[in-house]
Amino acid sequence: MSEELFEKLTQAVVDGEPEDAEALVEQALEQGIDPLACINQGLMKGIEKVGELFSDGRYFLPELILGATAMKAALEVLEPRLIGSQKREVLGTVVLGTVAGDQHEIGKTLVGTMLTANGFQVIDIGVDKKADDFVAAIVESNADIVGASALLTTTILEQKRLIDTVVEAGLRDKVKVLVGGAPVTESFAVEIGADGYADDAISAVHVARKLISAAE
Ligand code: B1M
């Protein structure tokens, strides 16, 4: 039963149908299906397919935008369920954003949701943010971790620029740097001097926890 629903969810993203995607996740939640399973087994497959069709030249920018709109509509329904309502001890503060020149927000937002759900206070500064914007938010919030997302091979070097700017601001001993995004790899993270790398939202939580306990 849930397999069929996940397939429909995948298709709603591929077809760029936000209303269908929203209705399907509402149906899934009513049936007690795990919100994370809706993301991993339904929505992610859909957006990956959209990316493939775009790479193959069968989809163009409008279809890419529609696919993302459908995914975002479904995620907005799921997010409150992921976060829950109980008050917890705050594990640490994370400034999170997508780097300059990069408009991709879905993965960054999902990372923020999972961090929030797991006890972090997340200051989401949005997309297309310069290194200076991250640094200003770190200073303002006294953050423990800064997280930078990058989805384009042309923007991943902004993560290095962020680290350089954090060093120049004299904050490198105070804040840990976490990087991620589809083209980012563990070896790239090591090469630019980041403290942590995560390939998905769940591992971002594990890495953030390790970074906090290493700093204590
Ligand atoms: Co664009 N796009 N896009 N796009 N887009 C990609 C990234 C691409 C791979 C598609 C393709 O060609 N197959 C390609 C990049 C190629 C490259 O660089 N080598 C691409 C391109 C080319 C472009 C444009 C240049 C297209 C154009 O204009 N001609 C343009 C660039 C705009 C810009 O940013 N300046 C563009 C635009 C867009 C839209 C705006 C239309 C839309 C984004 C809408 C939005 O976010 N509001 C979009 C989309 C949707 C995609 C794809 C299809 C999906 C991205 C996504 O949301 N994935 C993408 C193809 C793909 O990735 N398969 C593609 C779902 C999301 C949950 O996964 O973001 O990977 P992801 O996040 C994961 C992990 O990476 C990780 O955890 C997340 C959850 O598991 N993670 C972190 C992410 N950030 C992290 C941070 C961390 C830790 C983990 O710590 C801080």
Side-chain angles (χ1 to χ4, degrees):
M1 184 61 195
S2 40
E3 280 312 313
E4 196 188 320
L5 219 149
F6 293 149
E7 276 168 28
K8 284 187 185 163
L9 208 44
T10 301
Q11 200 55 44
V13 175
V14 174
D15 295 342
E17 297 285 357
E19 283 165 16
D20 290 356
E22 233 175 64
L24 286 162
V25 287
E26 272 160 8
Q27 208 178 312
L29 293 175
E30 274 164 25
Q31 291 177 18
I33 297 173
D34 177 11
L36 213 49
C38 293
I39 296 175
N40 292 332
Q41 294 174 54
L43 299 171
M44 286 300 281
K45 287 187 183 167
I47 202 77
E48 277 159 18
K49 182 76 188 159
V50 169
E52 278 167 33
L53 290 165
F54 180 73
S55 296
D56 295 349
R58 284 185 284 159
Y59 267 16
F60 298 95
L61 202 51
E63 287 90 356
L64 202 60
I65 294 170
L66 279 175
T69 308
M71 176 139 185
K72 277 176 60 183
L75 284 175
E76 274 163 28
V77 176
L78 296 173
E79 270 161 12
R81 296 296 188 99
L82 289 168
I83 292 173
S85 58
Q86 69 273 42
K87 291 239 178 298
R88 270 173 286 210
E89 187 196 345
V90 175
L91 294 178
T93 299
V94 183
V95 163
L96 184 65
T98 302
V99 298
D102 200 322
Q103 300 287 344
H104 294 88
E105 67 171 342
I106 298 173
K108 177 265 302 162
T109 305
L110 199 51
V111 168
T113 302
M114 292 314 293
L115 286 169
T116 307
N118 285 278
F120 286 88
Q121 182 191 13
V122 175
I123 317 283
D124 187 335
I125 62 169
V127 298
D128 190 11
K129 292 297 169 192
K130 294 195 181 78
D132 286 342
D133 299 324
F134 282 90
V135 166
I138 296 167
V139 172
E140 197 180 318
S141 63
N142 197 19
D144 306 288
I145 297 176
V146 58
S149 180
L151 262 287
L152 299 170
T153 44
T154 49
T155 59
I156 56 174
L157 273 175
E158 285 295 324
Q159 294 178 330
K160 162 92 172 72
R161 193 192 298 268
L162 169 62
I163 296 172
D164 293 345
T165 310
V166 166
V167 171
E168 282 159 21
L171 295 168
R172 192 66 188 96
D173 295 340
K174 296 201 177 86
V175 71
K176 301 283 182 194
V177 182
L178 171 64
V179 294
V184 181
T185 60
E186 178 102 58
S187 60
F188 176 76
V190 170
E191 195 184 311
I192 64 171
D195 301 296
Y197 157 78
D199 65 354
D200 64 23
I202 305 282
S203 44
V205 173
H206 296 310
V207 176
R209 279 207 193 108
K210 276 194 199 145
L211 293 178
I212 289 288
S213 44
E216 280 168 0

